[in-house]
Amino acid sequence: MTVTASFVVRGACEQTERSLARDYIFVASLVKRSAANDFPLAEVVRCLEYPGVVAFNATLSYANGGIPEGETLLAYPSRTEGVGASVLLPEALCPIQGVENLALVYPFFSGECTVREGTGLTPRGYAGEVAEVVIPWYLAERHGIRVGDTVNRRYYSDVVGDDGYWYIPTVVVGIYETSAPDPETEDYPAYMPLAVTELDFGELQYDERVFNMSEHHKAVRADFVLEGREAFASFVAFAKERGVNFQNVNMVFNNSTYDVLASEIGNIRMIATIVWISVIVVGLGILIFFTVYLYHARDKERLLLGSLGMKRGAVRGTIALELIVLFVVFAVMGLGVGELAAEALCRTVDDTVLARASASDAVRDVTSASEFDITMPLEKNMRLRILGRDDGTEEPSLAWNRIVRLAEDELGVSRHRLFVYQTISELRKYAPPYVPTAEETMEIFTRERTAVDVIGVTDLSAFILHETSGVQNEQAIRLYVSEDFCYRDEGSLFLCRFNAGDTFFNDVSYTRFMPSMPCRSYRVVIAGTYEKNEFCSGNEVLVSMEDYHKLYSLISLTDPDYHFHRIGEVVSASH
Amino acid sequence: MKILDLNGISYDYTTKAGKVHALKEATASFETGVVYAIVGRSGSGKSTLMSLMAGLDVPRDGDVRYRGESLLSMDRDRYRREHVGMIFQSYYLLPQLTAVENVELSLELANYRGNKRARAEEMLTLVGIRREQFRKRSTQFSGGEQQRIAVARAIAADPELILADEPTGNLDNENSMNIVEILTELAHRYGKCVIIITHAAEVAERADRVLRMDDGYLRAE
């Protein structure tokens, strides 16, 4: 019984150690050292290159972003009418936070906040395909907002001008609430996908000089889910090596609770192992003693059976069989009773030692989303069980964004449709001192534009390219076109995201609400041609994934009507 | 009719004190229908002689023959199963079995082909056990009754040779006489060869012939 009990406890501890290592969310966090110093998003990107990062969350700092109160929430002009309405500018805003992973934002992680209506941010939102927002309960209740409604996110841009407020429609996909007894509402922002807020930020930083958006974006916090406890040390070393500035940021870990639990479980396992081995050794001695004793205690019986003509071997076999049956019966009984005892023991340990060891209760009691600027207690809010059953622990149900990495033989491909707004040849026609007439300008605005599908790939060397351009500007976006491409010999193109007649509400200022701003375009260099391949031909242009993301940072496409595959499909390179 | 012959058998065994010559060229013949008593003081070799006659052991020298055939060349387990019934001083009944089951056990081992239960009950009745006692556990019987059950077990398979090692050693006089009476009847009425090893004079007196073991030698009186 003791053997079984200690064995089961030992096995349960091993299983629990595995479950703990599997279910515990090992988080390393970058947090700013002082309230004033947000750190560049680029540092997050550098940390993401560490191969042991399985998921991450970054909270983007953008003080001017918000969702306005009052009529501005829903008073956006109808697209069909295209007529602007007056907009009030109340002072109070619901702040917006861009997050890579809502489930890993502390209030949601700890259970302090839960989505009560609708969903969290969706994969399409995280991918930057659609602009969606999860708003706090107080905003919904104050203005009668429901899931599916459209609200406007408002940004201020000093690039646009003194009155440069920007309003961009956003679909509410979820409303969350808090379990905090007396919540301070300003601690609870609206959450949007980081990909969308990145684009917003890129839009406001509209400047062709700005290509590396992550250097200009600031983050207030980033959490990295690592593969295991042992990855912490090497992760710090990696971050240092990659130039993360530890003068401005701290790296904190959530290993304390894990270490306490693992140590407790390890101790219990060691005790169980010692008991198991000891009892086996002692038990074997007892078993041998009783076997010999029982055998000799039956000398008379053996004599009798022998005198009755039973063969000596048969007598010994009968007695041995009886001993085996006895052993098996008692072993089975011992197993059963031992398992019951082990369960009782495990339950006791579970309810006492581990319950005390776990900091979950303390974590659960935290009610403010802002209490963890410095510390990082992102333990999974779990209650451990060390019973030796499969139902003891479960896979976490968090829908975090796992990092997708390409295999060596895979080629990342993203596609997006843009339009040729202008060519170098056309531009030369209006070169100074010539000033285009109003008719010519209108013709440019209203002309049907040539669509090009931009394809970003992770490895341009997978394609046969013929360089033609002598342009050496390192910051230029370089396209490769097909032999059939009509602007093949232009050298440069100006690309924009709208065709003539498209309405682009993103580009309106609050005073006008009208599609009056000229469509911004971006100059790209035609670096050469590619030979036909299975991924692109005709009007499809090929760019490196780096250039693809430059385009991505320069054009805001978070209108719900647009789709932008941020990550892109991953295909096997067939070259 | 001669059934068992001892032809100059000798037997030694070794103890811490040295080699013991338990039997020295013992020679004798045993016939059916006769009660033999082998008497002698303790340590004189009586029980050794019985083991050799039962085929539980083999002599160093000499030969034990059953109906003219040497036990050395026989399947001695089968010999005991089919031709020998043994009775011990301490009865050796299996305590977990009832009276009738103890008797049935010997029939089972002897591959008795008839109705074992009926045969066992018949034997128990023959030795004076009442029917209502058949299903009592053996430990619930008196010493005399247990020995009678042991006798029933010994004769159940209808052996020709009955070897009794101090069958009255644990019994009072009355029970002793009852057992001896049963054994005598088995020889005289049923034609068995009954060999009783005893140190009780009153038992030896009831035997037809008496042999004495003395310092390993077997002599007729």
Side-chain angles (χ1 to χ4, degrees):
Chain A
M1 186 191 90
T2 313
V3 169
T4 313
S6 55
F7 186 75
V8 170
V9 170
R10 183 174 169 276
C13 286
E14 283 181 352
Q15 185 180 320
T16 305
E17 283 176 331
R18 285 195 297 273
S19 300
L20 180 64
R22 184 192 65 205
D23 292 345
Y24 197 89
I25 302 176
F26 298 97
V27 180
S29 300
L30 276 180
V31 291
K32 56 186 180 180
R33 275 179 177 265
S34 66
N37 292 335
D38 294 348
F39 54 89
L41 192 60
E43 303 216 332
V44 178
V45 175
R46 289 183 195 121
C47 291
L48 280 175
E49 291 169 6
Y50 180 73
V53 177
V54 294
F56 77 104
N57 181 54
T59 301
L60 200 63
S61 162
Y62 189 56
N64 285 332
I67 294 176
E69 280 193 314
E71 294 178 20
T72 53
L73 280 166
L74 300 169
Y76 206 79
S78 145
R79 284 164 185 262
T80 50
E81 293 175 2
V83 177
S86 60
V87 177
L88 301 175
L89 271 182
E91 290 302 316
L93 301 175
C94 169
I96 294 174
Q97 268 193 18
V99 294
E100 177 65 24
N101 189 335
L102 185 63
L104 283 178
V105 174
Y106 178 74
F108 286 88
F109 187 92
S110 67
E112 179 188 337
C113 292
T114 50
V115 175
R116 77 172 185 201
E117 191 180 335
T119 64
L121 300 172
T122 68
R124 289 185 65 210
Y126 287 127
E129 293 179 29
V130 292
E132 55 190 24
V133 65
V134 173
I135 63 171
W137 76 99
Y138 63 86
L139 194 66
E141 289 167 1
R142 199 175 292 164
H143 303 292
I145 303 170
R146 294 183 176 181
V147 171
D149 286 348
T150 297
V151 297
N152 305 312
R153 57 190 191 276
R154 189 188 78 172
Y155 298 102
Y156 175 77
S157 170
D158 54 1
V159 177
V160 176
D162 292 339
D163 54 356
Y165 282 106
W166 296 67
Y167 290 87
I168 310 173
T170 311
V171 175
V172 176
V173 293
I175 298 169
Y176 74 88
E177 62 186 0
T178 179
S179 59
D182 190 16
E184 295 291 331
T185 54
E186 61 266 26
D187 287 338
Y188 297 92
Y191 292 100
M192 291 190 65
L194 182 69
V196 177
T197 48
E198 276 181 316
L199 292 178
D200 291 344
F201 200 46
E203 179 85 4
L204 298 173
Q205 293 288 322
Y206 164 54
D207 185 334
E208 291 202 36
R209 290 170 302 174
V210 179
F211 279 128
N212 192 342
M213 61 177 176
S214 60
E215 291 292 350
H216 293 265
H217 291 176
K218 299 290 184 184
V220 292
R221 180 191 187 102
D223 302 319
F224 304 91
V225 178
L226 302 182
E227 284 177 334
R229 170 70 178 83
E230 66 285 353
F232 282 157
S234 58
F235 183 63
V236 174
F238 181 89
K240 277 183 183 169
E241 184 185 320
R242 291 303 167 102
V244 171
N245 184 1
F246 283 100
Q247 301 293 323
N248 291 332
V249 293
N250 277 331
M251 181 83 83
V252 293
F253 304 102
N254 70 331
N255 59 314
S256 57
T257 301
Y258 173 84
D259 290 347
V260 170
L261 290 175
S263 169
E264 291 281 352
I265 295 167
N267 289 341
I268 295 168
R269 181 168 62 87
M270 183 174 290
I271 291 169
T273 304
I274 291 170
V275 170
W276 183 53
I277 293 171
S278 306
V279 174
I280 278 185
V281 171
V282 174
L284 273 178
I286 293 172
L287 183 68
I288 291 168
F289 172 79
F290 274 103
T291 303
V292 172
Y293 173 79
L294 287 173
Y295 189 77
H296 286 298
R298 301 177 73 177
D299 279 350
K300 287 181 180 176
E301 192 176 333
R302 285 192 292 127
L303 176 62
L304 166 69
L305 294 171
S307 73
L308 291 174
M310 197 168 182
K311 289 188 177 296
R312 192 173 294 179
V315 174
R316 288 176 178 167
T318 304
I319 292 175
L321 183 64
E322 285 183 16
L323 286 174
I324 289 170
V325 168
L326 278 176
F327 178 79
V328 169
V329 167
F330 282 106
V332 169
M333 286 172 63
L335 282 172
V337 177
E339 177 138 5
L340 290 175
E343 282 200 20
L345 181 62
C346 289
R347 194 173 297 116
T348 303
V349 172
D350 187 34
D351 292 342
T352 55
V353 180
L354 294 185
R356 281 200 301 271
S358 171
S360 298
D361 289 342
V363 172
R364 203 180 299 123
D365 290 340
V366 175
T367 54
S368 170
S370 60
E371 282 187 30
F372 290 99
D373 281 345
I374 304 301
T375 58
M376 181 53 229
L378 260 182
E379 294 93 357
K380 181 183 174 189
N381 187 16
M382 62 184 170
R383 184 171 178 79
L384 279 177
R385 298 182 66 204
I386 66 167
L387 295 185
R389 293 175 175 170
D390 290 339
D391 61 353
T393 51
E394 294 175 353
E395 284 288 338
S397 57
L398 300 180
W400 57 35
N401 293 337
R402 290 201 175 269
I403 292 180
V404 178
R405 298 179 193 283
L406 299 183
E408 280 187 8
D409 60 344
E410 286 180 325
L411 189 64
V413 176
S414 289
R415 287 173 183 270
H416 188 71
R417 172 157 291 192
L418 294 176
F419 297 92
V420 177
Y421 175 74
Q422 210 164 21
T423 66
I424 291 292
S425 307
E426 290 168 339
L427 191 64
R428 283 184 185 132
K429 287 196 296 187
Y430 308 117
Y434 179 79
V435 178
T437 63
E439 289 75 18
E440 287 171 329
T441 304
M442 189 54 65
E443 192 272 334
I444 292 171
F445 289 159
T446 57
R447 186 177 57 207
E448 190 72 17
R449 295 168 182 139
T450 304
V452 293
D453 287 331
V454 181
I455 298 171
V457 295
T458 52
D459 184 11
L460 273 177
S461 66
F463 302 86
I464 302 171
L465 304 174
H466 303 289
E467 299 275 347
T468 58
S469 171
V471 177
Q472 296 299 320
N473 183 354
E474 288 184 1
Q475 289 194 325
I477 297 169
R478 296 162 63 83
L479 304 183
Y480 293 88
V481 301
S482 73
E483 294 286 342
D484 304 328
F485 188 57
C486 56
Y487 300 116
R488 189 187 65 184
D489 299 323
E490 283 286 336
S492 292
L493 295 174
F494 291 87
L495 294 181
C496 69
R497 64 174 182 265
F498 298 119
N499 204 349
D502 289 341
T503 307
F504 34 97
F505 283 99
N506 300 38
D507 294 346
V508 298
S509 70
Y510 79 94
T511 53
R512 283 166 283 178
F513 277 116
M514 53 189 293
S516 58
M517 291 182 65
C519 177
R520 289 202 305 276
S521 59
Y522 305 94
R523 182 177 178 179
V524 296
V525 172
I526 297 177
T529 58
Y530 59 79
E531 291 193 4
K532 272 187 181 176
N533 58 75
E534 62 180 297
F535 299 110
C536 49
S537 63
N539 276 3
E540 292 170 327
V541 299
L542 198 61
V543 297
S544 69
M545 193 59 82
E546 186 183 355
D547 280 348
Y548 187 82
H549 282 295
K550 285 179 183 175
L551 273 174
Y552 172 75
S553 69
L554 290 169
I555 51 179
S556 177
L557 295 167
T558 57
D559 188 294
D561 289 345
Y562 285 88
H563 296 267
F564 192 102
H565 293 276
R566 184 177 183 226
I567 303 297
E569 58 185 314
V570 176
V571 297
S572 294
S574 57
H575 59 284
Chain B
M1 187 175 63
K2 277 208 302 187
I3 185 172
L4 191 71
D5 294 301
L6 308 181
N7 297 325
I9 58 173
S10 300
Y11 188 84
D12 307 325
Y13 59 85
T14 304
T15 66
K16 285 180 181 174
K19 200 166 190 178
V20 176
H21 300 287
L23 275 177
K24 298 169 182 171
E25 297 183 351
T27 300
S29 291
F30 300 92
E31 298 177 356
T32 54
V34 177
V35 178
Y36 296 88
I38 299 175
V39 298
R41 56 183 174 78
S42 294
S44 61
K46 301 191 298 292
S47 295
T48 303
L49 179 63
M50 183 166 167
S51 292
L52 295 174
M53 288 192 291
L56 289 168
D57 211 336
V58 293
R60 174 174 55 80
D61 291 317
D63 199 9
V64 179
R65 289 178 171 273
Y66 176 76
R67 290 192 176 278
E69 188 180 353
S70 172
L71 293 190
L72 291 172
S73 60
M74 290 175 69
D75 178 348
R76 290 190 293 281
D77 293 320
R78 185 175 180 184
Y79 160 68
R80 281 195 301 280
R81 278 201 303 272
E82 297 179 356
H83 305 298
V84 180
M86 295 186 74
I87 300 164
F88 303 95
Q89 179 178 350
S90 300
Y91 329 131
Y92 289 171
L93 298 177
L94 295 179
Q96 64 271 33
L97 302 183
T98 63
V100 73
E101 286 169 346
N102 266 288
V103 179
E104 274 186 286
L105 176 64
S106 68
L107 294 169
E108 190 72 44
L109 291 172
N111 291 323
Y112 183 78
R113 294 176 189 280
N115 185 327
K116 296 184 184 68
R117 176 55 56 97
R119 174 72 178 173
E121 291 178 351
E122 181 189 349
M123 292 299 104
L124 287 170
T125 305
L126 183 67
V127 298
I129 301 296
R130 299 191 306 277
R131 176 165 289 278
E132 61 269 23
Q133 294 179 298
F134 287 174
R135 282 167 184 77
K136 284 167 65 177
R137 291 198 183 279
S138 57
T139 50
Q140 293 174 289
F141 289 91
S142 69
E145 289 171 327
Q146 286 191 50
Q147 193 59 298
R148 276 192 265 169
I149 295 168
V151 172
R153 182 181 62 194
I155 64 175
D158 199 21
E160 290 180 298
L161 178 62
I162 295 169
L163 300 174
D165 187 2
E166 299 283 8
T168 60
N170 287 351
L171 302 178
D172 59 23
N173 196 45
E174 184 183 350
N175 278 312
S176 294
M177 289 308 106
N178 283 338
I179 292 298
V180 172
E181 209 167 283
I182 291 168
L183 294 174
T184 306
E185 191 176 356
L186 287 171
H188 296 166
R189 186 170 174 184
Y190 296 101
K192 309 295 183 187
C193 172
V194 178
I195 302 172
I196 304 171
I197 289 173
T198 182
H199 61 272
E202 61 274 21
V203 175
E205 285 172 8
R206 305 286 293 270
D208 299 321
R209 294 175 198 171
V210 179
L211 297 111
R212 178 169 295 277
M213 285 294 302
D214 187 10
D215 196 23
Y217 293 101
L218 181 63
R219 298 185 181 92
E221 288 197 341

